[in-house]
């Protein structure tokens, strides 16, 4: 992607954004870019203008953020290169909230290029509300799981995307069972050909954006994904054969949720379910529902995005 040059125009736009932040007591700036820039020079511009609030820099790949954190900036990788501007900005805010750079009810100034590549031309003043809240690292730590935090986060992020986006315009459900894979495999069997079987670990790791896209496509097929603690997809299209006795479940939840609760009752895994009918993401541990993320958590008040759950179909 293109590198942003800190031209006289772009520098003036950044200076204007910092002035606005100081004038109206905004909590942070989100700078949405198409590529890298001179991070150290950007930090020096902040210091020159007396700017002491978080400056969140969002680009599409982690490689383009090299040196940003060292310069005192707050880096966010989007993996949304071909997405529309609004979706990229929305995702930047969600990721910044998930990384605890910003909080619900914060006021944010966002600066970005809305019309011309490589040129900052738009400044927006946004106020976030509680619907902006997304799963935070503190929430995940409360699970007290042996699965690394970063692995849980990448699977939850993927599940939320599936719940909101669906596939090919249709709602999609999914089940991810993370950790304690050896024990989980004792209760699993193939429901069909596993497209991930036979590939090396690198080609099956969910920290790779391409593998995430493959998983989204395969979520349309029956069966659960079994994920190792390191984020590697051990198996896909798995049927879980576990007894459901002694489970206390809410009415209306389908077979995916029952399987998720049951497998976590008998293993140390964490199960993450995407409801096909509503897009809601639920996390289960030790047979109990621990967290619930509604699809409206992807909404942003200033954009007046409305969400109408799709009609129920298929197993949840």
């Amino acid at each position: 992607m293109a590198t942003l040059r800190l031209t006289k125009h772009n520098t003036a736009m950044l200076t204007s954004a910092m002035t606005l932040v100081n004038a109206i007591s905004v909590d942070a700036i989100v700078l949405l870019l198409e590529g890298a820039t001179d991070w150290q020079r950007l930090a020096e511009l902040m210091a020159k203008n007396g700017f002491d609030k978080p400056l969140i820099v969002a680009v599409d790949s982690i490689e383009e953020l090299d040196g940003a954190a060292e310069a005192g900036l707050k880096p966010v990788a989007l993996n949304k290169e071909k997405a529309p501007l609004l979706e990229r900005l929305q995702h930047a805010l969600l990721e910044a909230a998930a990384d605890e750079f910003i909080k619900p009810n914060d006021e944010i100034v966002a600066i970005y290029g809305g019309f011309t590549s490589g040129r900052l031309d738009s400044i927006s003043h946004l106020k976030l509300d509680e619907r902006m809240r997304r799963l935070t690292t503190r929430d995940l730590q409360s699970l007290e799981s042996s699965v690394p935090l970063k692995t849980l986060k990448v699977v939850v992020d993927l599940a939320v995307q599936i719940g909101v986006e669906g596939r090919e315009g249709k709602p999609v459900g999914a089940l991810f069972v993370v950790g304690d894979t050896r024990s989980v495999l004792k209760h699993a069997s193939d429901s069909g050909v596993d497209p991930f079987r036979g590939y090396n670990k690198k080609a099956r790791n969910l920290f790779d954006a391409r593998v995430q896209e493959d998983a989204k496509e395969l979520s349309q097929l029956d069966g659960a994904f079994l994920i190792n603690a390191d984020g590697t997809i051990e198996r896909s299209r798995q049927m879980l054969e576990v007894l459901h006795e002694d489970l206390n479940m809410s009415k209306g939840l389908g077979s995916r949720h029952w399987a998720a609760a049951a497998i976590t009752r008998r293993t140390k895994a964490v199960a993450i379910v995407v409801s096909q009918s509503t897009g809601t993401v639920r996390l289960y541990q030790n047979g109990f529902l621990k967290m619930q993320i509604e699809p409206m958590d992807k909404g942003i008040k200033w954009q007046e995005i409305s969400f109408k759950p799709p009609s129920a179909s298929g197993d949840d």
Side-chain angles (χ1 to χ4, degrees), residues 135-145 149 152 283 285-286 290-291:
L135 195 67
T136 65
T137 54
R138 190 175 296 111
D139 294 321
L140 288 176
Q141 285 169 342
S142 71
L143 292 175
E144 298 181 353
S145 170
L149 192 64
L152 287 175
L283 281 76
Q285 186 183 38
N286 300 323
K290 294 291 186 178
M291 298 178 192

Side-chain angles (χ1 to χ4, degrees), residues 19-36:
T19 301
L20 178 61
V21 166
N22 293 330
I24 59 177
S25 299
V26 169
D27 298 288
I29 285 180
V30 174
L31 177 58
L32 184 65
L33 301 176
E34 295 178 343

